[in-house]
Every structure is written in C-alpha cells, then in structure tokens.
Amino acid sequence: MPHTPTPEPDEDDLDAVPPPQPVFHVEQALLGALLLDPHRIDDVSGITADSFSTAAHAALYAAINTVPQPDPAEHAKNTKWLDRVLTAGREQARGLTATYLHTLVQVCPWPSHAPAYARMVEAEHARRRLLTAAERLIHTVHDASLPLPVQTVLAEADALTAVVDDIANRFPPRSGVLPRTPAPPPALAPDHTEAVEEEQLLLATATARPDDIDSVRWLLPDDLTLTLHAGLWQCLTTLARRNEPVDPVTVLWEAQQRGLLDDGSEPGEVLRMLAEPAGSVEHWGERALQRSLLATAEHTGRRIEAYAGDPANTPFQLVVGARRALADIAAVRTRWQNATGATPPQQRRPVPAIRAGPPTTTAAHAAQSRRATR
C-alpha cells in the first residue's frame, strides 16, 4: 500500500494545531456553546479573555463579549452575528477562520454546560497564574543585580500571596486536601563557597566574643548551610546559655559530645576555624540570615512551582499547599525584621477583580461577626 504523506498544517487552520492540554478542549466547548447560544454569556462568570490558554481563544472570547448579542430568532436563521464576531476576533488573532468557528460549534457537547466549562477554564487559569507568580519569585531570588534583594524578594512573595488569596476567594480550600505532588529538595546556594567562609567567621567571632551571642537570638542553626556549622552554632549557644567557658577547646569538646565529629571532621581543623575571628557576630549573623531568607524564598517558590506544574492538583489543593509553603517565608521574615530592626509595610493585596468570596482569615470572620451583631 503506498504511503500517503501527512499534509503540513496550514498556519491559518487553528483546528489542525494539536491541543497542548486538556483545557484546550474545554475552551473549545465553552466557545462553541457561546457561539451557538450567545445569550449563555450571561451565565458565565469568573473568567476574562486572559483566562484562556491561547491567543486565538482569548481574542474570540473578547469578541463574543464585545459584539452585541443577536436576536435569538435571527441568529438561528443566518450567520451575521458570527461574521461580526469573526471580524472582531481577527483584529487580535489573524488566524481565526469561519471554519474554526464552525468546528467550535460542532465540538460542543452541551451548550447548557457553559457555566461548568467556564469554571474549568477558571481553574486552569488559576493554576497558570500561580505557576507564573512562583517562577517570578524564583527568578527574583537569583537576580544578582538587585540593590535590595531581601526587600524585593519579600515584595515578590507578597505578590505571590495575593495570587493565592485571590484563588482562595474563587475556590475556597477544603480542609486536609494537600497537593499530591512531592516537594522538591532544597537547592544548594549558588554562592556556597562564600557562605561557608562567612559562617566560619561567624563561628570564630562568636567563640571569641560569646557575650555577643545573645544579641543574635534570631539566628537559628538551620540558617547555616553546613550541618557541621549548624551543630557548632548549637554548641556555642548552649555553652553561652549555661554561662560556661567558651573558647575553641570547650566548643570542640561540646561538639564531640554531640557527635558532630562522627562525619570525619578533623578536630585540628575545627580548632583552627574557631581561632580566626573577624568583624562582628551581628554582621555575620545577619549575612547568614539573609542567605537563609533567600534560600527559603527559593524553596517556597519551587514547591509552589511543582504543585502548580502538576495539572492533576485542584485549585483547592494548590491553595492549601501554597499557603503552607508561604508560611516558611513568613517565619524567616519575622526573624529578619527582628534582626534588622525594620518592619517594612507589606505590599497591599489587590481586591479580587472578578468574584469576591467569603472571608478567608480569622480576623475577617471576626469583623464580619461584629458587623452582623450591630
């Protein structure tokens, strides 16, 4: 049997483009329902043209909303309204054709299900919004050109939180519904060598000036990048809290009692590291905390990116998972503000643009209850 070559798809024939995701079919069904029964646009809520995954679908939805609805009897007799919609849509997407509009009408199973299709489009758009916000946070963490990296990253985290809150307003989370996607492991800081050197200076300076350890109580062992450094910081804070003598030898002995040398660390190397102080404990502690905050922000962004990148996760799961991840940034942020003595105002969260939901915080519920009792 002779082989028949597969024809190349026409650039203007959008129907020949393979659907990238299942939501493509949902969008087709929704648009087909609205083209067949334009009055059903009144039953659709929660979405805008930006909610669609392709420029062609976005342009067509905008045209449907822009062109005045036809008389139902006239619409059943001719294609004048469809022609006007096509003309308006092609102003933004030149590839739209009358054939594609006909295809959309044909593939719509039930025009009466338009509200359900719109809800699916809204859910997929929420996932893409969350993915974009998480990617932006990760990019900001790695932007070496920022003059104020912490403030900029925290502002981006606020923007991500606002997206999560907006999705929660549209899809109130159900308790106990977590994303099924496993969280990625923390990434190694790109300036790992610099971090190690600065942490060694922190440990040595704290050993030389143990009275200054109390001034950096906001610094936790987990803020340090190496397990040995985290353990030695625990040794230092423990000895200082007990008012016991602190010097390289006493810290080394405490480290041995805690099993910190079991990984092969040489006692002589530890002693040499602890005997080379420089600068101040607060300075090196603040540097370590800044790295910890940025690393936490990146890991939070990657967790949310992983959740949002899995289309099997529902908006309910995305909200729960994202809020748990963002709680890690909030905890480090509080310690950073205590360390620097600055409490910058958080970015104002935008009001949901389409649909307002029930209060999602304890304070909001309390305020609503007070208003109800007046």
Side-chain angles (χ1 to χ4, degrees), residues 182-353:
L188 193 65
D191 57 344
H192 182 67
T193 301
E194 181 182 6
V196 170
E197 293 175 351
E198 292 187 357
E199 289 173 7
Q200 291 175 346
L201 291 172
L202 166 68
L203 296 169
T205 306
T207 301
R209 292 187 279 275
D211 291 342
D212 294 342
I213 294 177
D214 189 59
S215 65
V216 294
R217 284 186 290 181
W218 33 259
L219 187 66
L220 302 180
D222 288 343
D223 293 325
L224 306 186
T225 57
L226 295 184
T227 302
L228 175 62
H229 291 177
L232 290 174
W233 184 252
Q234 282 186 310
C235 295
L236 281 162
T237 55
T238 300
L239 292 173
R241 186 175 63 251
R242 294 175 183 167
N243 292 320
E244 295 183 9
V246 177
D247 61 40
V249 174
T250 60
V251 175
L252 177 66
W253 186 256
E254 183 72 18
Q256 176 180 273
Q257 302 303 304
R258 293 173 177 266
L260 297 179
L261 307 181
D262 295 346
D263 63 353
S265 298
E266 293 290 337
E269 293 180 0
V270 175
L271 285 174
R272 284 191 292 273
M273 177 182 68
L274 296 177
E276 298 179 356
S280 69
V281 174
E282 286 194 30
H283 172 74
W284 299 123
E286 186 174 316
R287 289 282 296 168
L289 183 57
Q290 174 174 319
R291 269 191 302 273
S292 178
L293 188 150
L294 296 178
T296 300
E298 179 186 19
H299 186 50
T300 296
R302 294 200 181 280
R303 284 175 63 186
I304 298 175
E305 180 185 46
Y307 297 154
D310 186 351
N313 287 323
T314 67
F316 312 106
Q317 291 173 303
L318 294 178
V319 168
V320 174
R323 281 182 167 170
R324 290 199 175 192
L326 287 165
D328 293 341
I329 295 183
V332 184
R333 180 183 201 150
T334 299
R335 293 193 290 118
W336 172 259
Q337 292 171 352
N338 291 335
T340 60
T343 307
Q346 292 191 7
Q347 185 180 23
R348 183 180 298 275
R349 297 178 183 175
V351 177

Side-chain angles (χ1 to χ4, degrees), residues 29 32 53 75 80 87 100 104 107 113 126 137 155 166-167 210 213 223 228 271-272 306 315 357 369:
S53 62
H75 183 58
K80 291 182 179 180
T87 300
Y100 189 63
L104 294 176
V107 300
H113 293 174
L137 174 61
D166 186 45
I167 295 173
I213 294 177
D223 293 325
L228 175 62
L271 285 174
R272 284 191 292 273
S369 298

Side-chain angles (χ1 to χ4, degrees), residues 128-142 156 160 300-302 304-306 308-309:
R128 291 198 306 271
R129 288 178 60 206
L130 189 61
L131 181 61
T132 299
E135 291 173 344
R136 192 180 298 117
L137 174 61
I138 297 170
H139 174 76
T140 304
V141 170
H142 290 280
E156 207 61 61
L160 175 55
T300 296
R302 294 200 181 280
I304 298 175
E305 180 185 46

